[in-house]
Amino acid sequence: MRFSPKRTQSVAVLVTCTVAIILVVAFVRYRIRRRIDSDSADVLLQRADDLAWNGQWFAAAPLFRQAEKKFTAERNWPKALYAQVSQIPAYGESASLADTIYSLTQDLKKPEAANSETRLRILEVRGMIENNYDASLARQTWGQVAVLARDRGHLLLASRALGEEGISAFLLGDTATAKKEVLTAWGVAKVAHDIPAQVRYASLYGAGLVEMHRFQQGLKPLDEAIAIARAHPAVAYPAVAISSKIDALRGLHRYQEALTLANQALAEIPSPSLKGHYYQILTSRASVYEDIGQWDSAIADFKQALSFAMQLDYWRGLTLAAGGLADAYVHQRKFNAALSSIDQAIDANKRIPDELYFVPRDLAIKARILALLGRQDQAGELYRKSALLIDSLLENVPTPFVERLLLTETGEVYAGYFILKCREHEYDQALRILEEARGRIEAQALEHHDYPAPHAPTPAERHLTMLNVAFLDTDNAATRQALSEQVQDFESALDQRSLASSTIEHPVSLDHLESDLAKDELFVEYVLADPHSYALAVTRTSARAYELDARTKIEADANGYRASIRDQHANSTLGNALFHELLGKIPEYREHSTLILVPDGELDLLPFGAVTDKGVPLIESHTIATSPSATVFSILENKRAVDADPPLPYLGVAAWTKEAKVEGPVFRLFSGLSAGGLTPLPESRTEVETIASDLPKPSTLLLGPDATAARFTRLPLSKFNVLHLALHGYVDANYPDESALVFAPEHKNLYESMLQVRQIRNLHLDARLVTLSACDTGVGPVGEEGVDNIVNAFIEAGADSVVSTLWELEDHTTEHLMAEFYARLGKGESKAEALRDAQRELIKEGVKPYYWASFELVGDPNGTI
C-alpha cells in the first residue's frame, strides 16, 4: 500500500505524541512510586533515626509517630514498638519518670522485643530516662546497651554507651571512673568523626568540671562543644554546653560575658519549637541577673521560662522556675506576687503526684514569705506541714538521689522553722525543732534501704500518695491524722535504744542542756542558711541566738581554708575570717575555755581547732569537741556519770604493718577496692604497742595478718574501755553505709576485710574512747547533717567519744601525735584536753597544721580513761 506524504506526516505526528504520552505517564508513575517509597515506613524510620543519632529527638518525634502508624497498619509489631518508644525522649519530661521506666521495662517483656534492634532501642531510651532518675539503674542499663550494640556491630553506639556509663559514675560520685569512661568515649568519637558524640561528651565533661566548681578548667571543653556544634548545623543545639558555660562564667564572676553568651544563644536557637532550649537558657540567664541584683530582668526571664514550661507540660521545670520567680519577688519585697508564684510551683508539682519531692521546699519558701508578711502562726503551720510531708515521702523513697534530696530539704525546712522561733526568742522550742530534724535525718541513715526498681504502685503506695496530695489541698484534721499515723508506724519500727530514736522521741530541753554543761563550757549549734545563718549559743546560765553570714559565704570560706591546709599552705586570711564568721559575734566565747560544737553542712569537714583568732589557732586558747546533736551530747554526758568502766583496758588493732621500702611520707589513704592500692603502714605497729605501754594492763593487740575483721568482731568488744584502730579508711560518699574500716584480708578477699558503717552500728560497745587512726573517718556526705559517717556509727554502737580524722594522714606524724595523746591520757588528762595538748605539742615543734589539724574529738569531751 502506498501512503501519501500528507498521510505519512500525520502518522509520524501520532507516533511522536504517543511516545510523549507514554514517557509522561512513565515519569508520573516514577514520581508517584518515588513519593510513595519516600513515605514508606522504613524510609520514615531511617530519616527519624538519622535525626535522633544527631541528638534531634524532638524533630524526629513526628517522623517516628508516622512510622509507628504505618508499621502498625502493616502488622510489623517489632518496628512499630521501636518507633513508639523512640518518641519518648522528646516528650518524657511531662510524665512520671518511674512510670516511664516501668513501662519500658514491661516493653522488654513483649514478644516483639525479641528483635535485637527493637530491644536495643528500648534499653537506650530507658537509659536516657534513668539518667534523670537513678544513676545506679542507668549504669546497669547502659552496660546492657554496650554489650548488645557490640554484638550487633554498632560499635559507635557501644562507645556512646560507655560514655553514658561514665556519666552515671559521675552522678554516683565515682569521678575517677567517670573521667576514664567519658574521655574514652570522647576520644573514640573524635577518631571516628562521630560529631554528635563529640559535642555531647565535651559538653558533659565540661559540665562535670563546673559542677565541681572547677570553672576555669570547664571552659575549654565547653567551648569545644559549642564550636563543633556551630560548625555542624545538623547536630542538636548544644544547650547543655551553653548553660554550663553560663554557670562557669557566673562562678568566675564574669557576669557580662555570661549575659552576652546567653543573649547570643537565645538568638541562635534554630527553631521556635525548641521550647525546652529556650527554657534552659532563660533560667540560666535569670540566675546571672539574680547574682548581680537585676531583679526586674530575672523576673522577666523566669516568667518567660514559665510560659515555655507550661507549653511543654514540663511540670518539673515549672516547679523550679516558679520557685526562682518567688525568690526574685521576695528580693523586691513583692510578697503577694511571691505567694502567687510559689503556689503555682506547688500546683505544678501535684501534676505528677508520685514525685512531690520539691513540695516541702516550696512550702518552706511559702512559710518564709508569710513570716515576712508578719503572719507568724501561718508560717509555723506551713513548716510543720512541710516536715510531716517529708516524713511521709521518706516512707517510700525510690532512689538514693531522692533520699538525699529529701534529707537536704529536711535540713532546709527545719532550719527555716528554727530561725522563725529564734527571731521570736523562743529558744527552747527552736532547740527542740532542730534536734527533731537531726534525729529524723540520722534515723533515715540508720535504716539500710533496698531501693525498689520502678514498678506498678501497690495499693499501700497509692493510698499514701492520695493522702499526700489531699494533705496539700486541705488542712483537714482527719487527713493530717491519717498521714501522722503512717509516719508513726515508721518511727515505731526504729530501734528504741538508738540515739536517733531518742533524739526524735525525747529531744533534750534547753533547761536540761544547760544543766549538763560545766561552768567553763560553751555549747554552740550552727544552722547554715541563706541569706543569714544562725548559731544557738548555750551556757550553764544562758541561751541566745546570733545571726551570722550567709551559708554560701561561710561554706566557701570553710572549703577554701580546709583546702589550703591540705595543700600545706594554710590561708591565714581565711582562718581569721572564719573565726569572725563563726565565733567572733558570740561574746560568750571569750568567757568559756571549752567549746562543744554541733556543725552544719560543710562545717562538718572544717578543722575548728585550726581556725585562727588574729593568727592564733583556737586550740591554743580553747579545748574543742564536736557532737552530732545537743541530744546526743546530753545522753553521752549522763551515760558517763552512771556507768562503770569496762573491765578490759585496751584493744589495739594494726593490720597494715608490713615494712615497705618507699620514698617520702606514707599516707593512710585508701582509694578504690584493691588490696594492691593499700600502702603498708609500718609505724602503725609501733603506734598501738606504744599506746599499750601507757595504759593499764592487760592489753589485747591484733597485728598484721591477725588483724582481720572476723577476729575483731569475735572479741568481747563491750568489755573494752579503749579501742584504737590504726587502719586504712574508705569513704563512699554516694552510699555512706558502705564506708568502711579496712582490716587485714582473709583468703585474699578484700571485701571480707571491710567493716562497713552498717556493721559498725550493730556492734555492742561500752568504750570510753574509740580512736580511728585512719584517713577520712570523720568525713560523710555533706547536705545530710553529716550523720552518715564512720564516727557516728561508733557513737551509735555505744562509744562515748571518738577521735577521728578529716583527711589522709602521714604515717610517722600520726604515730607521734597518738603517742603524745595517750601519754597524756595515761597521766589523767580528760580526752579533749589530751588531744588538744598533743596537737599543741606538734605546733611547738613547728609542724604544719596539715599534720595535726585533721584530728577531731566527737562526743563526750570530758572524763578520763
Side-chain angles (χ1 to χ4, degrees), residues 627-706:
S627 177
S629 69
T631 302
V632 170
F633 167 76
S634 179
I635 290 171
L636 295 177
E637 186 72 14
N638 287 280
K639 175 177 178 285
R640 177 177 56 84
V642 298
D643 287 356
D645 284 346
L648 299 176
Y650 173 68
L651 168 60
V653 181
W656 304 92
T657 59
K658 184 179 178 181
E659 292 287 344
K661 293 183 179 181
V662 295
E663 296 182 4
V666 177
F667 291 92
R668 303 184 181 204
L669 175 64
F670 178 32
S671 57
L673 301 177
S674 168
L678 295 174
T679 306
L681 305 172
E683 299 200 41
S684 61
R685 182 185 189 115
T686 304
E687 183 179 314
V688 299
E689 290 177 336
T690 301
I691 292 165
S693 67
D694 288 326
L695 297 179
K697 305 297 183 287
S699 299
T700 301
L701 302 181
L702 295 179
L703 301 173
D706 291 332

Side-chain angles (χ1 to χ4, degrees), residues 16-174:
T16 302
C17 290
T18 302
V19 170
I21 291 169
I22 291 170
L23 290 174
V24 169
V25 170
F27 179 74
V28 169
R29 285 178 175 174
Y30 166 76
R31 290 297 300 269
I32 292 172
R33 188 182 304 113
R34 182 173 181 182
R35 190 179 69 214
I36 292 172
D37 289 342
S38 68
D39 288 339
S40 72
D42 284 317
V43 170
L44 287 169
L45 190 65
Q46 184 59 57
R47 288 168 55 198
D49 273 340
D50 289 343
L51 288 168
W53 182 254
N54 284 326
Q56 303 267 24
W57 289 94
F58 191 82
L63 297 176
F64 279 126
R65 192 180 306 113
Q66 293 177 53
E68 180 194 358
K69 291 178 180 178
K70 288 179 179 290
F71 283 127
T72 300
E74 296 171 7
R75 305 180 70 82
N76 188 336
W77 306 122
K79 287 190 175 181
L81 180 58
Y82 180 105
Q84 176 195 326
V85 299
S86 297
Q87 299 166 50
I88 291 174
Y91 306 113
E93 288 290 356
S94 61
S96 162
L97 296 178
D99 287 351
T100 303
I101 293 167
Y102 174 68
S103 176
L104 288 164
T105 302
Q106 295 304 108
D107 286 339
L108 288 170
K109 300 176 183 178
K110 294 178 178 178
E112 48 267 48
N115 177 281
S116 297
E117 294 298 324
T118 299
R119 187 172 194 82
L120 185 57
R121 174 51 56 92
I122 295 170
L123 287 169
E124 183 183 359
V125 172
R126 191 178 74 174
M128 294 168 67
I129 302 300
E130 286 172 342
N131 278 345
N132 296 319
Y133 180 76
D134 183 353
S136 180
L137 290 177
R139 187 164 174 80
Q140 294 175 32
T141 297
W142 285 113
Q144 295 176 56
V145 171
V147 171
L148 186 54
R150 280 194 293 270
D151 290 345
R152 297 290 300 166
H154 302 315
L155 300 184
L156 285 183
L157 178 57
S159 176
R160 288 188 180 191
L162 177 66
E164 299 303 317
E165 287 185 79
I167 294 164
S168 301
F170 179 81
L171 295 172
L172 290 168
D174 186 354

Side-chain angles (χ1 to χ4, degrees), residues 343-360:
D343 282 338
Q344 188 178 13
I346 294 168
D347 287 340
N349 208 164
K350 288 189 292 187
R351 297 297 188 103
I352 308 178
D354 62 341
E355 294 182 14
L356 296 175
Y357 312 127
F358 292 110
V359 172

Side-chain angles (χ1 to χ4, degrees), residues 447-496:
E447 296 296 305
H448 179 63
H449 302 286
D450 293 318
Y451 303 99
H455 58 281
T458 65
E461 289 169 342
R462 284 197 297 268
H463 177 64
L464 190 56
T465 298
M466 179 191 71
L467 283 175
N468 288 335
V469 175
F471 183 53
L472 286 178
D473 289 334
T474 180
D475 290 323
N476 180 274
T479 304
R480 178 191 293 275
Q481 181 62 29
L483 202 56
S484 297
E485 288 173 359
Q486 292 273 348
V487 173
Q488 287 167 7
D489 289 342
F490 162 71
E491 291 174 359
S492 65
L494 291 175
D495 181 355
Q496 297 303 306

Side-chain angles (χ1 to χ4, degrees), residues 222-275:
L222 294 174
D223 283 336
E224 180 175 333
I226 294 168
I228 293 172
R230 284 175 175 164
H232 298 82
V235 174
Y237 181 77
V240 171
I242 292 170
S243 59
S244 295
K245 184 176 179 181
I246 293 170
D247 289 341
L249 293 170
R250 282 179 60 209
L252 294 168
H253 306 297
R254 291 157 58 178
Y255 299 116
Q256 191 54 53
E257 290 178 67
L259 291 175
T260 299
L261 174 61
N263 295 338
Q264 181 183 2
L266 288 169
E268 290 177 347
I269 293 177
S271 169
S273 64
L274 298 176
K275 298 178 177 64

